Amino acid sequence: MSAILESELQPAWDDPVHDTQSTFRTVLKALSEPGLIQTIAADVQCPAPMFAATAALCLTLADFETAVWLDRGADNVALVTYLRFHCGCRLVGAMDDAAFAVITDARQLDAEYALEKFAQGTMEYPDRSTAVFVQVPGLDDGPTRYLSGPGIADRHAVNVSGLPGNFDAIWQQNVAGFPMGVDLVFCHGSRILGLPRTTAIAS
């Protein structure tokens, strides 16, 4: 552990209180205004393959009471050490045990990392579902999809890239279980785009 801390552990926030508050406001805005790209202003260093935005979400939302699940791409020694040190979070192996999850390979959303494998919440406690942070190659260079629902005046076009070809069907299944289901936050670099379970999507 000492070797990891000396050679691989990177610092997190420059100003923890300000940066955490700023990031929290940004992710709330992303989820309350689905489809609008938001930029996390805080400067975050983190191990690969985690993006700065993904790290900022973990640093802001995860703590010692929080269960976090990492996909195979994120489950490396440097990143595990980083999260345990800076967040104190509990890393779990079961997808449905996680309050937050990190997916670095969005193509696996239709297979190994299918959304229904995460905690869906219950009718009484829909908030007990997993929030999934999905890293993607880009937020504005993919095929056009249109979002509608709360927080969207009419409909809003998004162009997230790197998603599986059947993502629309995957999302429709997630939305159909409302109020249960998962919320997604797409991450690329320092930018995020929210897709809560209240939002409908069409090509």
Side-chain angles (χ1 to χ4, degrees):
M1 178 65 74
S2 60
I4 295 172
L5 290 175
E6 291 175 2
S7 64
E8 297 186 51
L9 183 61
Q10 298 182 24
W13 305 118
D14 290 332
D15 184 341
V17 174
H18 175 271
D19 292 342
T20 299
Q21 292 175 344
S22 173
T23 300
F24 187 73
R25 289 192 296 268
T26 302
V27 70
L28 285 183
K29 188 173 180 66
L31 289 170
S32 64
E33 299 180 1
L36 294 182
I37 297 172
Q38 309 292 335
T39 300
I40 293 178
D43 184 19
V44 183
Q45 299 180 54
C46 58
M50 186 173 273
F51 291 146
T54 318
L57 294 178
C58 291
L59 292 168
T60 299
L61 301 173
D63 58 25
F64 68 95
E65 296 182 332
T66 308
V68 176
W69 176 88
L70 306 175
D71 76 356
R72 284 198 312 275
D75 190 9
N76 64 67
V77 173
L79 191 48
V80 166
T81 303
Y82 175 93
L83 292 175
R84 284 178 171 162
F85 182 84
H86 290 299
C87 305
C89 57
R90 178 167 54 92
L91 299 176
V92 296
M95 297 168 68
D96 59 358
D97 284 342
F100 302 104
V102 175
I103 293 179
T104 60
D105 185 358
R107 296 168 299 177
Q108 293 298 315
L109 287 172
D110 66 339
E112 188 174 2
Y113 310 142
L115 297 183
E116 62 266 23
K117 294 182 180 180
F118 294 104
Q120 303 293 303
T122 66
M123 293 298 291
E124 296 80 11
Y125 301 101
D127 58 314
R128 294 180 180 175
S129 62
T130 305
V132 186
F133 309 145
V134 183
Q135 297 195 165
V136 293
L139 296 176
D140 46 20
D141 57 353
T144 301
R145 294 179 170 88
Y146 295 96
L147 308 184
S148 62
I152 303 172
D154 181 15
R155 67 176 189 167
H156 185 77
V158 296
N159 298 90
V160 177
S161 62
L163 300 177
N166 62 338
F167 180 76
D168 291 12
I170 292 170
W171 188 249
Q172 178 57 38
Q173 181 178 346
N174 184 64
V175 170
F178 184 83
M180 297 185 295
V182 304
D183 299 323
L184 302 185
V185 180
F186 296 114
C187 305
H188 179 76
S190 62
R191 302 192 301 165
I192 60 175
L193 185 153
L195 187 62
R197 74 196 80 171
T198 54
T199 302
I201 187 171
S203 299

